[in-house]
């Protein structure tokens, strides 16, 4: 006997949608379970001058700050924002809630994680990043992803402790892959609409593969809360700063002793340049590498080590990556002449 099980097309489509949504929800849960153990809450205490007191003696008062961080190495290295720990006399980190004896908790309210002391290995004001170290080892950690692979519209997840509400996760998309908040600022950010609030600082921005692609750093807000304008330091910048601080305790950046400025249409019109983009040397410091090599104010930079230079930030960042004492090849246009220079990189 042949039994045919017939369903209306609409019912099948609804079932397919339900299955797809359930699979998506399940994948979110797996992602949160894998990321949360590597996210920590950070508490910093520091002394600041007391305000509103008239006295011949300097009076200080203790203030506390809190934020988040992400463990990036099982040896206990943690990345956070510099503004969370700068000037701190004492730093502590709270680990994620421990797993129960059967791998889960019976109560919906999880116990607090272990509170550990931490040392500030170093911090970098320019990128607002800091590296901490705890004595505990064998900790769960997040891999650092490649922020050059981040695309506009990509789904991302922000982990942290907004307003002290630990172990929180929000989701959104990448609004822009590279946002420069101030003109000529070497620092750029990933912009996201994933809700970020005070207390999220230093927490990871994570992609669907569970990789840290940014460190949540700031929001633009008129109300003080999330308005869909969150900014995260890209993971490739984070990795560079982390590796430098872990190796030497500070970030060492290469320079040639010249100020590079992005050429804009307005600048090009005023100076009579034949193109409205690129890099112009607006200052060359006497006695430093660029001046000794023969570069001059007004030189238009064409290439750096054979790579076309499109703006001032690109020029500076490509210099940053060179070790002190190395030389770089710079091609410039001076009037109608194309000239090449070999310039030493200094700290």
């Amino acid at each position: 006997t042949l039994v045919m099980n017939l369903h209306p097309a609409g019912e099948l489509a609804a079932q397919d949608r339900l299955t797809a949504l359930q699979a998506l929800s399940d994948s979110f849960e797996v992602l949160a379970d894998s990321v949360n153990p590597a996210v920590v809450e950070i508490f910093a205490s520091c002394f600041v001058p007391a305000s509103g007191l008239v006295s011949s003696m300097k009076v200080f008062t203790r203030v506390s700050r809190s934020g988040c961080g992400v463990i990036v190495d099982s040896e206990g290295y943690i990345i956070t924002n510099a503004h969370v720990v700068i000037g701190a006399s004492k730093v502590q980190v709270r680990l994620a809630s421990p797993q129960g004896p059967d791998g889960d908790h019976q109560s919906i309210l999880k116990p607090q994680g272990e509170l550990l002391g931490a040392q500030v290995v170093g911090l970098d004001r320019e990128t607002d990043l800091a590296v901490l170290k705890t004595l505990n080892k064998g900790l769960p950690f997040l891999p650092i992803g490649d922020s050059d692979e981040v695309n506009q519209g990509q789904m991302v997840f922000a982990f942290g402790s907004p307003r002290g509400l630990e172990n929180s996760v929000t989701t959104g998309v990448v609004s822009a892959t590279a946002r420069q908040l101030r003109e000529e600022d070497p620092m750029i950010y990933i912009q996201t609409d994933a809700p970020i609030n005070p207390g999220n600082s230093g927490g990871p921005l994570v992609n669907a593969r569970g990789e840290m692609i940014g460190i949540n750093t700031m929001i633009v807000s008129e109300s003080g809360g999330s308005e869909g304008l969150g900014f995260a330091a890209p993971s490739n910048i984070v990795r560079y700063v982390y590796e430098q601080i872990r190796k030497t305790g500070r970030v060492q950046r290469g320079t040639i002793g010249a100020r590079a400025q992005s050429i804009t249409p307005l600048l090009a019109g005023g100076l009579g340049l034949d193109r409205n983009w690129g890099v112009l040397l607006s200052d060359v410091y006497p006695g430093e590498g660029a001046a000794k090599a023969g570069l001059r104010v007004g030189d238009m930079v064409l290439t750096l080590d054979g790579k076309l230079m499109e703006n001032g930030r690109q020029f500076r960042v490509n210099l940053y990556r060179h070790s002190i004492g190395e030389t770089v090849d710079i091609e410039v246009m001076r009037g109608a002449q194309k000239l090449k220079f070999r310039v030493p990189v200094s700290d």
Side-chain angles (χ1 to χ4, degrees), residues 68-147:
C68 300
V70 55
I71 305 171
V72 292
D73 190 287
S74 62
E75 295 294 297
Y77 285 94
I78 297 167
I79 296 175
T80 186
N81 282 137
H83 72 255
V84 175
V85 298
I86 192 166
S89 57
K90 181 180 181 181
V91 178
Q92 293 178 298
V93 299
R94 188 182 299 282
L95 301 181
S97 300
Q99 290 293 320
D102 298 321
D104 206 350
H105 300 287
Q106 299 301 313
S107 172
I108 194 171
L109 292 175
K110 299 179 180 179
Q112 284 192 330
E114 185 180 0
L115 190 64
L116 307 174
Q119 177 188 4
V120 178
V121 180
L123 54 84
D124 181 53
R125 295 171 187 264
E126 182 171 299
T127 57
D128 193 14
L129 294 169
V131 177
L132 311 181
K133 176 75 167 66
T134 71
L135 294 179
N136 289 42
K137 298 184 179 181
L139 298 176
F141 65 95
L142 275 191
I144 301 177
D146 184 355
S147 54

Side-chain angles (χ1 to χ4, degrees), residues 12 81 297:
L12 286 174
N81 282 137
V297 172

